[in-house]
Amino acid sequence: MSTNSATNTSLDKGTIDRLREVHVAALNAGDADGWAACFANDGIQMPPNFGTNAGKAAIEGWSKGFLTM
């Protein structure tokens, strides 16, 4: 592994950690829009015991419904 590869891995991990923090904060705040904003337009959400949500619009719709329960 090159030094550059190791550096990129560390940067990627930091980015993922920050995104996870935003994702969890939005979920804990009941913020469906903020939760969905963590996904790419073509993202896939696979919540346990529910169907797969494909695309940001589907993820946002499902998330709003889930958080209102």
Side-chain angles (χ1 to χ4, degrees), residues 5-30:
S5 177
T7 301
N8 288 340
T9 300
S10 296
L11 292 174
D12 292 344
K13 183 181 180 313
T15 299
I16 291 167
D17 286 344
R18 283 188 298 282
L19 180 59
R20 181 179 38 78
E21 289 171 8
V22 169
H23 184 263
V24 169
L27 175 61
N28 288 338

Side-chain angles (χ1 to χ4, degrees), residues 10 18-21 30-31 34 36 41 43-44 50 52-53 58 62-63 65-66 69:
S10 296
R18 283 188 298 282
L19 180 59
R20 181 179 38 78
E21 289 171 8
D31 179 5
N41 288 334
I44 302 291
F50 292 94
T52 299
N53 301 311
W62 182 89
S63 297
F66 178 77
M69 284 194 237

Side-chain angles (χ1 to χ4, degrees), residues 39-68:
F39 290 86
N41 288 334
D42 62 348
I44 302 291
Q45 180 189 49
M46 297 176 8
N49 302 313
F50 292 94
T52 299
N53 301 311
K56 191 177 277 194
I59 292 168
E60 186 172 1
W62 182 89
S63 297
K64 285 181 180 181
F66 178 77
L67 291 175
T68 59

